[in-house]
Amino acid sequence: MKLIQDPIHGLLKIDDWMIKIIDTQEFQRLRRISQIGFANLVFPGANHTRFEHSLGVMEVARKLVERMDVDECERMEILASALLHDIAHTPFSHCGEVIVKDYLGLNHENVEVVLKRGEIKDVLSELGISLRKIKDLVSGKSCNVVKGDIDADRIDYLIRDSHYTGVAHGLFDAQRLINKTKFVDKKMMIEAGGLRSAESLLISRFLMHTTVYHHHVCRIARKMFEKAVRFCIEEGNLNPRDLFHMDDWNLMTFLRSQEGYPKEISEMLMKRRLFKRALYVEMERVNIEDEADKIEREIAEVSGVDEVWIAVDIPKQIEGEEFGAMVLLNDEVKRLDEVSSLVKALKDAERKSLKVGVYTPKEHVDKVRKVAMSYFKVS
């Protein structure tokens, strides 16, 4: 066993078989994939990566597994899945995920894209860990420790992202929440004594989304990056499947090696010369009928600004799986949003917090704003 010092969980106990997974080149790639994309453009300390987050999720999963009735083989599979749950993240994490989703219909839960080949495949085979079982655990199909309504992933990333951004909103009593969990048929449930801790997690998630994850600068940088990568794919210079094996460093190097638009965008990101907001308005105030790329073309045609310099940002509705976490009250199993009026209020608050953005370089803001306001019928 090895010990690794972690700023969130303290000393992590790493079994010898885990070291074999961690030392593979596929897992080491996570050292070079930022945890929250371009958030360091706003929060300078947000330079943490998917590598330490994966170790943290394993530690939370270890504490949860101690509360389960499983044999050593099942324990090993769950902890391996916690380590590997983000192995298929693309560069800049969720910033690149929308691209592989659109072109390939895949996301970071499709761990088989990485695990079925290379050094990591041989290690898993040597350890006797089934890829199918890893997939089922990462997707939450067989057990909800790694992926569920409230899970090891969420518990770690909220606290970790809060620590590195310096935003205190992500703090909640994780240890009490873990201590007040019960497993029925390998499904995690929250006991009555953990209800307030679960509510606190949801408040933390809401505040982190509005303050950090959906910060307008993070969103602008993400859209610029996305447009540059899509440009390379459409030009035939980049295979979207390669994104599963690239990291932040070599993708930015690739973009900077291109001629024209991708190079210009990558240099703007490196120098923090970002697009500005031409329009930024609550989603409930506008009627959106078309995809973002079509809206960009229409605004470009009327404004006279090339569409590559217009970014329309339509946020996805927050899925809010946490609202459906199972709570055990008086021997009855109920959804969290059924027993908590606070959680019901948060659902409405999250819906109202989402904003549509239209971004463009500073010199085009006035022209684009006028057309965007007319298109979205905003007065």
Side-chain angles (χ1 to χ4, degrees):
M1 178 181 292
K2 292 183 181 291
L3 297 176
I4 295 178
Q5 186 68 46
D6 178 65
I8 306 303
H9 304 293
L11 283 176
L12 306 182
K13 297 177 181 178
I14 309 296
D15 298 331
D16 286 343
W17 66 266
M18 295 177 183
I19 293 295
K20 293 180 180 180
I21 292 175
I22 292 169
D23 282 348
T24 63
Q25 61 183 358
E26 289 83 6
F27 196 91
Q28 290 294 315
R29 180 183 72 101
L30 299 180
R31 289 184 184 272
R32 302 180 299 280
I33 295 183
S34 56
Q35 171 73 8
I36 41 178
F38 294 96
N40 63 351
L41 296 178
V42 186
F43 308 97
N47 293 304
H48 55 307
T49 70
R50 290 283 157 180
F51 181 87
E52 56 260 43
H53 166 62
S54 296
L55 297 181
V57 174
M58 182 278 298
E59 180 64 17
V60 176
R62 185 200 296 275
K63 294 176 180 178
L64 289 170
V65 168
E66 289 174 356
R67 308 183 64 80
M68 299 176 67
D69 182 19
V70 294
D71 60 29
E72 182 58 29
C73 181
E74 290 175 299
R75 173 185 177 276
M76 187 173 175
E77 289 167 351
I78 293 171
L79 296 185
S81 299
L83 274 176
L84 295 169
H85 79 287
D86 277 347
I87 197 73
H89 254 300
T90 55
F92 296 97
S93 294
H94 293 291
C95 297
E97 187 162 36
V98 65
I99 298 171
V100 294
K101 174 71 173 178
D102 289 347
Y103 284 96
L104 304 172
L106 302 173
N107 61 36
H108 76 277
E109 290 183 5
N110 294 106
V111 293
E112 69 277 7
V113 176
V114 176
L115 298 183
K116 67 182 181 182
R117 61 186 240 185
E119 185 181 3
I120 189 75
K121 175 187 176 182
D122 296 337
V123 168
L124 292 178
S125 177
E126 175 191 336
L127 294 173
I129 297 176
S130 162
L131 175 56
R132 180 183 60 80
K133 290 186 177 180
I134 294 289
K135 277 175 52 65
D136 288 347
L137 287 161
V138 169
S139 65
K141 183 178 178 181
S142 59
C143 170
N144 61 357
V145 168
V146 179
K147 169 70 183 296
D149 302 310
I150 290 179
D151 53 34
D153 181 24
R154 287 168 173 80
I155 290 172
D156 182 81
Y157 82 66
L158 285 172
I159 302 173
R160 191 171 299 277
D161 292 352
S162 177
H163 175 84
Y164 282 102
T165 58
V167 176
H169 299 322
L171 301 179
F172 60 96
D173 194 346
Q175 190 57 57
R176 180 168 179 81
L177 180 60
I178 292 170
N179 290 342
K180 292 298 179 179
T181 58
K182 182 177 181 178
F183 286 87
V184 178
D185 295 328
K186 299 181 185 177
K187 297 296 182 181
M188 185 169 70
M189 297 185 184
I190 302 164
E191 297 177 326
L195 180 58
R196 296 295 170 252
S197 296
E199 289 176 333
S200 180
L201 180 148
L202 282 171
I203 294 170
S204 297
R205 192 195 62 132
F206 169 73
L207 293 174
M208 287 295 287
H209 270 279
T210 54
T211 306
V212 177
Y213 308 135
H214 284 180
H215 190 287
H216 70 274
V217 172
C218 298
R219 291 176 59 181
I220 289 170
R222 182 170 65 238
K223 286 300 295 186
M224 291 173 65
F225 167 80
E226 180 188 326
K227 286 180 73 72
V229 174
R230 287 182 186 276
F231 185 93
C232 293
I233 293 172
E234 294 295 333
E235 291 291 306
N237 297 325
L238 178 65
N239 184 336
R241 191 167 288 272
D242 290 342
L243 295 174
F244 287 110
H245 307 286
M246 300 176 77
D247 57 43
D248 297 2
W249 300 359
N250 51 38
L251 181 53
M252 286 302 290
T253 300
F254 169 80
L255 292 176
R256 297 180 77 184
S257 73
Q258 301 298 294
E259 295 296 326
Y261 180 72
K263 181 177 182 178
E264 193 167 353
I265 289 291
S266 64
E267 291 183 348
M268 290 173 72
L269 288 169
M270 296 288 286
K271 297 174 183 177
R272 204 184 184 279
R273 306 289 166 78
L274 307 179
F275 288 7
K276 303 299 181 183
R277 288 177 289 180
L279 185 71
Y280 203 60
V281 63
E282 293 81 4
M283 279 191 71
E284 61 181 18
R285 290 181 56 193
V286 299
N287 182 28
I288 302 172
E289 297 179 348
D290 297 316
E291 297 293 327
D293 56 350
K294 183 178 180 182
I295 299 173
E296 289 172 357
R297 288 194 296 270
E298 294 195 20
I299 293 176
E301 185 177 346
V302 178
S303 67
V305 177
D306 193 318
E307 67 181 89
V308 299
W309 301 112
I310 299 172
V312 172
D313 183 17
I314 304 172
K316 292 196 315 179
Q317 292 286 344
I318 300 172
E319 295 178 359
E321 297 110 321
E322 296 91 338
F323 297 131
M326 293 294 105
V327 181
L328 191 60
L329 292 176
N330 301 320
D331 295 325
E332 285 189 78
V333 177
K334 295 185 177 181
R335 284 171 54 101
L336 182 56
D337 55 6
E338 292 176 339
V339 300
S340 172
S341 57
L342 177 58
V343 170
K344 291 179 183 177
L346 280 173
K347 290 178 71 174
D348 187 53
E350 287 195 351
R351 178 180 57 80
K352 292 181 177 179
S353 72
L354 297 177
K355 294 183 178 181
V356 175
V358 180
Y359 319 129
T360 192
K362 183 178 181 179
E363 61 268 25
H364 301 314
V365 165
D366 291 340
K367 288 187 291 185
V368 171
R369 176 184 291 125
K370 182 178 179 180
V371 177
M373 290 180 69
S374 175
Y375 180 90
F376 286 109
K377 297 180 174 60
V378 176
S379 57

